[in-house]
Amino acid sequence: MYKYSDIKIAKQSKNESNRDLAIKISTWDFNTIKFSSVSKLNEIDLFEKNVQGVYVIFSKLNDELSFSYVGISNNIRTRLKTHKSNIEKGVDRTYKPWLKLLNKNNQNIDDLYFGIILISDNEQERFKFEIINIMKVWNKFTNVNKRLRDRKYHCINCGGGMINATYVSSPDKEIPYSIKIKCIRKHCKKKYMLI
Ligand SMILES: [Zn+2]
């Protein structure tokens, strides 16, 4: 069990000296994610068609998380095939950070897995699962998701798109943090806990 103060450092630090802590905490947090299935990314062709939901692409190195990306799609198979071919081609700008992280650990597409976290045709539920699970693996050293503020999860008060999500201490819980949401819309600014 980690202290909230360590979790906060690990998830928000850009400082190389916090790398080991960040990897340990993201591995620990990643291991709390419940997957309904896990397969190799190379075997995406075998995955069912037209599944809507939330997935994680990941790899491990010596039992520690070395790569993670949490994504959302209304057609997971097609989306993952796009990820796969763009990693292989290695030209799309979006995938530069992906390849950089893989290279750093001497890994490649053969080392990547995908796990399904949620199957749902409810868009807001998918957005919610996306943000919760990005925050589990969020750090500079093992994650390639872009900034949290770009997530589309809709505010429960005004229905607006952009929100700010932050970690807050929750010492009584199994995972000692909660996720606090603040709506960025000027006339709303509602604050509430996501988990
Ligand atoms: Zn709002």
Side-chain angles (χ1 to χ4, degrees):
M1 177 60 86
Y2 290 94
K3 288 181 299 200
Y4 172 69
S5 53
D6 288 335
I7 291 172
K8 204 173 167 189
I9 291 168
K11 289 182 183 294
Q12 294 178 343
S13 179
K14 290 188 166 78
N15 191 333
E16 279 294 315
S17 63
N18 292 318
R19 167 183 289 274
D20 287 349
L21 180 67
I23 292 173
K24 280 193 169 58
I25 285 180
S26 65
T27 300
W28 164 76
D29 227 352
F30 173 82
N31 287 336
T32 66
I33 298 176
K34 291 180 180 70
F35 293 109
S36 59
S37 69
V38 173
S39 313
K40 293 205 87 162
L41 185 58
N42 274 336
E43 289 164 8
I44 183 60
D45 286 342
L46 305 173
F47 191 68
E48 206 181 323
K49 288 181 180 169
N50 299 315
V51 176
Q52 308 187 43
V54 183
Y55 59 87
V56 189
I57 297 174
F58 67 91
S59 68
K60 284 190 168 181
L61 195 62
N62 305 324
D63 258 350
E64 290 188 320
L65 190 67
S66 55
F67 180 98
S68 63
Y69 173 81
V70 180
I72 188 167
S73 180
N74 52 22
N75 192 336
I76 289 179
R77 186 172 186 264
T78 306
R79 185 85 182 113
L80 287 172
K81 283 175 81 146
T82 306
H83 287 318
K84 180 174 171 267
S85 77
N86 281 329
I87 295 166
E88 283 164 345
K89 284 185 218 145
V91 286
D92 191 316
R93 266 184 52 217
T94 314
Y95 292 86
K96 272 203 177 142
W98 297 44
L99 295 167
K100 203 173 149 193
L101 184 54
L102 287 170
N103 286 340
K104 194 177 174 108
N105 294 313
N106 273 321
Q107 292 189 305
N108 59 49
I109 196 153
D110 296 327
D111 299 302
L112 293 178
Y113 290 80
F114 70 94
I116 305 299
I117 317 175
L118 175 77
I119 295 173
S120 170
D121 58 7
N122 180 322
E123 193 178 52
Q124 177 76 344
E125 196 186 3
R126 292 203 300 270
F127 288 145
K128 183 177 169 179
F129 263 73
E130 180 192 33
I131 201 161
I132 289 171
N133 287 285
I134 288 174
M135 292 192 80
K136 280 185 184 285
V137 291
W138 180 259
N139 72 52
K140 182 189 175 256
F141 308 101
T142 63
N143 179 257
V144 294
N145 280 98
K146 288 188 197 146
R147 56 191 204 137
L148 288 164
R149 193 170 158 156
D150 295 335
R151 300 299 131 195
K152 290 175 190 146
Y153 172 75
H154 300 300
C155 167
I156 53 166
N157 188 43
C158 72
M162 299 290 185
I163 45 93
N164 269 338
T166 48
Y167 302 95
V168 288
S169 174
S170 230
D172 304 333
K173 285 175 36 176
E174 198 183 332
I175 298 170
Y177 66 85
S178 291
I179 298 171
K180 188 179 173 187
I181 293 292
K182 187 183 170 195
C183 181
I184 66 165
R185 282 196 166 175
K186 229 179 181 174
H187 301 292
C188 178
K189 295 210 165 156
K190 187 175 172 69
K191 294 175 190 167
Y192 58 96
M193 297 298 176
L194 193 62
I195 54 163

